[in-house]
Amino acid sequence: MTATDHIEACSRFIDHLVERIRVNARGEGRVELESAPSGVFWLGCLAPEDAVVDNRLGERGERLDPCATGFRLLLAPDAPTSCEVTVRFAIWNRADRLSPWHKTPVTPLPFSVDLSTLRPGQTEIGEEAIARAVATASPPAPQRARVDIELRNTTDGHRELTFTLVNCGPKNPGGDADPNIYECDLEVRGLTTQPFLLDALPESFRFDRRVPAYGINGGVSVEGDSIRTVDLPAVDRGRPQYWNSASASPDLRFAELAADPVPAATRLHDALAEWGRSRWSEAALAGRAASEAWTPAMQKEATKAADDFWEEVDRIGRGLKLLTEDAEIARAFCMMNEAMALLAARRQRYDSWRPFQFGFLLANLTAVRDPDADSGTADIVWFATGGGKTETYLGLLLTAAFLDRMTGKLSGTTAWSRFPLRMLSLQQTQRFADALAAAELVRRRHELPGDQFSLGFLVGGAATPNRIPLDPKPGDADPNDDTMPARYRVLTKCPFCGADTRTEFDRRYWRLDHLCTSETCPWP
């Protein structure tokens, strides 16, 4: 199975699960229940209007148990003067308290609406026709519903229409009827609309601010001249792709890069430049400007973004040049990849860089070699959660650390990292320690001079003791308390082998030590 086939299979399986959830949550396919449907179904369900008004939770209660569902749309200037509204729902009743609940689907009810007769404000339609349809249930059902249509003239001269299906039945119908209505759908056909524009987003070529319609207590689907309610998100955006070039992705495995990173770096740089010529050229931007109706400000912004893109390509090119011409930076880069290979072998989750990670490393190699030459650029590595941001800047950090040792810096600080959240700093400290432990093993393997790589964790005395007094006061770290060391354990796993750690108080050096519990740990 290829990677594409695997992704397609995963997507189809997820779609299958989502559809099963939707069907079960709405009650589609169920015709009989032993328990009340209000305790079983939670999608496509509308509570009585009076019950929502009386709900003590206010707006929160209305969101949890809404009485209406629908959508809001913007009419096009040449919109037809009529449309067709179709309502679908189901009701549940039982003959008596000892009988099971039975579902009665209501036959889809179409209503023709003459828009030319509407005036600003709310118009109610369909209640009598829906009541007649519901009355055919056995036994006759007390549930009721209607369609509300609200017309509003916007400040810029457009006409905004809101369609909602409302449960207007009694909240306490008596007998053995469920007051809710289920499997609710509202559809409008025959209208020509124009999209809303999201004011929260700036007017930029980067965003499509158009929204075809807004759902009310649910989603909305617009296909052709059909606008209808849906119970699931109408738009599903996956995480960004790691590689979308027509050319094959370079081999970015750590082991291969540790041997020679130049071929992969060359292919990445060439593929990026080729992609840029097809997406950021003047002709490509002109085509988008015409099809997407860009304003002059948007065109100017796009031109500036194209310049920024080519500057990034040049920065990656300078990193590639360093790898080919600077023996020390090339060796440091290879050793960093060797350390990442050791780290990956222990974690067994990945064995290669993703293209955006590798590109970021190349773009910032100049800053590692000569900080002053690249001090005018503040680079940010961004990706969705789980994309590999931490490993990216750890790779840059290890490259700098190896280069320090090669160029005569035998001890001292290579990098500082600051985290705004305490829990995030604990997690990142473990990952920093894992990477530096792998780098230390590589340093010893290649017999680089200098102190061993080390890591400081500076968070204040509330997390780790700044001192361990001989005569501790209440709240101080007590050297005579056998449980004290365990309270200050920062690294839960050994950075060298991944085994559990334990903490002990070393009275000889008067310090807290983290010790590995594994007898096969590679650290002596």
Side-chain angles (χ1 to χ4, degrees):
M1 176 182 289
T2 65
T4 302
D5 292 337
H6 180 73
I7 294 173
E8 176 64 21
C10 291
S11 298
R12 291 178 62 183
F13 179 66
I14 291 172
D15 291 342
H16 166 73
L17 289 180
V18 170
E19 179 63 13
R20 287 289 302 273
I21 292 172
R22 187 193 70 83
V23 168
N24 290 333
R26 281 174 59 90
E28 295 179 5
R30 305 289 294 274
V31 296
E32 184 176 294
L33 287 174
E34 293 298 328
S35 56
S38 59
V40 178
F41 308 129
W42 48 277
L43 270 184
C45 170
L46 296 180
E49 192 174 20
D50 289 344
V52 172
V53 171
D54 295 340
N55 194 315
R56 295 182 179 181
L57 294 177
E59 292 185 2
R60 187 194 309 173
E62 184 176 359
R63 289 195 297 269
L64 293 173
D65 291 303
C67 64
T69 185
F71 40 79
R72 183 161 56 95
L73 52 86
L74 206 59
L75 289 177
D78 59 348
T81 58
S82 65
C83 65
E84 183 176 88
V85 179
T86 302
V87 171
R88 304 174 184 86
F89 64 90
I91 57 176
W92 286 83
N93 297 308
R94 60 181 179 178
D96 53 60
R97 295 183 181 277
L98 299 179
S99 301
W101 294 85
H102 289 278
K103 181 174 73 175
T104 302
V106 175
T107 302
L109 300 170
F111 304 98
S112 294
V113 180
D114 186 353
L115 301 179
S116 64
T117 64
L118 296 181
R119 297 293 178 264
Q122 183 170 298
T123 301
E124 300 175 357
I125 66 171
E127 184 171 353
E128 293 183 1
I130 292 174
R132 289 194 296 270
V134 171
T136 61
S138 179
Q143 293 93 336
R144 296 291 181 268
R146 69 172 189 269
V147 175
D148 289 348
I149 306 174
E150 182 178 356
L151 172 64
R152 187 179 74 89
N153 293 323
T154 65
T155 55
D156 54 359
H158 295 114
R159 292 179 298 165
E160 181 182 294
L161 277 178
T162 301
F163 294 86
T164 50
L165 171 62
V166 182
N167 181 350
C168 57
K171 65 177 182 179
N172 296 310
D176 292 286
D178 189 302
N180 299 336
I181 58 177
Y182 296 88
E183 301 178 44
C184 297
D185 285 307
L186 179 66
E187 181 181 15
V188 174
R189 283 186 173 273
L191 287 181
T192 305
T193 65
Q194 59 184 337
F196 293 95
L197 291 180
L198 285 174
D199 293 332
L201 287 177
E203 187 179 70
S204 169
F205 77 98
R206 298 182 183 278
F207 310 112
D208 184 357
R209 300 194 299 156
R210 297 170 296 179
V211 180
Y214 288 112
I216 298 173
N217 292 324
V220 57
S221 171
V222 180
E223 296 183 5
D225 71 341
S226 171
I227 308 168
R228 64 180 302 174
T229 57
V230 293
D231 293 314
L232 296 173
V235 177
D236 185 10
R237 190 183 187 92
R239 57 190 295 150
Q241 295 179 344
Y242 296 118
W243 186 262
N244 59 356
S245 172
S247 60
S249 175
D251 187 349
L252 302 181
R253 287 176 296 173
F254 303 132
E256 293 297 320
L257 297 175
D260 185 3
V262 172
T266 302
R267 290 190 60 184
L268 179 72
H269 176 266
D270 292 348
L272 185 62
E274 180 182 354
W275 183 86
R277 286 188 288 271
S278 66
R279 301 300 180 93
W280 288 103
S281 66
E282 292 185 8
L285 295 181
R288 284 192 59 188
S291 63
E292 300 173 21
W294 286 356
T295 64
M298 294 167 69
Q299 295 181 26
K300 183 178 180 180
E301 182 191 10
T303 300
K304 174 62 170 58
D307 293 339
D308 292 342
F309 169 81
W310 288 112
E311 172 59 25
E312 184 73 5
V313 174
D314 288 342
R315 294 182 69 226
I316 291 175
R318 291 195 290 272
L320 170 59
K321 185 177 180 181
L322 276 175
L323 289 180
T324 58
E325 298 179 357
D326 189 321
E328 287 180 331
I329 197 77
R331 187 184 180 206
F333 195 77
C334 289
M335 293 174 69
M336 176 273 292
N337 279 285
E338 186 178 343
M340 295 302 295
L342 286 178
L343 183 61
R346 181 165 68 77
R347 290 185 175 180
Q348 296 181 344
R349 291 203 302 263
Y350 52 84
D351 64 353
S352 67
W353 294 111
R354 288 163 177 163
F356 84 92
Q357 296 174 305
F358 192 60
F360 185 87
L361 292 172
L362 293 175
N364 288 280
L365 276 184
T366 300
V368 173
R369 180 42 127 175
D370 186 3
D372 293 337
D374 209 25
S375 59
T377 300
D379 212 350
I380 297 175
V381 57
W382 180 93
F383 211 83
T385 299
K389 297 182 293 294
T390 298
E391 283 71 21
T392 307
Y393 65 73
L394 285 177
L396 209 58
L397 186 152
L398 296 189
T399 302
F402 282 123
L403 187 63
D404 277 351
R405 291 295 187 270
M406 295 176 191
T407 54
K409 185 176 180 180
L410 304 181
S411 64
T413 303
T414 294
W416 282 81
S417 184
R418 182 178 182 272
F419 298 95
L421 299 175
R422 177 67 56 82
M423 290 303 296
L424 181 61
S425 67
L426 284 170
Q427 179 208 56
Q428 294 294 302
T429 297
Q430 179 73 61
R431 297 173 75 174
F432 269 63
D434 293 346
L436 286 171
E440 175 60 18
L441 294 177
V442 172
R443 187 191 71 84
R444 294 193 171 201
R445 181 184 300 170
H446 290 270
E447 299 181 345
L448 289 184
D451 292 346
Q452 66 185 33
F453 291 138
S454 59
L455 173 69
F457 182 60
L458 310 177
V459 292
T464 58
N466 293 329
R467 56 191 296 270
I468 302 177
L470 286 170
D471 186 18
K473 298 177 181 179
D476 288 343
D478 187 349
N480 299 312
D481 181 2
D482 292 338
T483 65
M484 180 270 293
R487 294 199 301 271
Y488 296 111
R489 188 173 65 152
V490 175
L491 301 178
T492 60
K493 299 294 182 181
C494 172
F496 293 94
C497 69
D500 292 337
T501 63
R502 71 179 190 276
T503 48
E504 291 183 357
F505 180 60
D506 187 334
R507 289 183 172 276
R508 179 180 180 184
Y509 294 101
W510 207 256
R511 69 186 183 190
L512 286 170
D513 289 336
H514 283 67
L515 303 174
C516 180
T517 59
S518 173
E519 296 181 356
T520 60
C521 181
W523 183 248

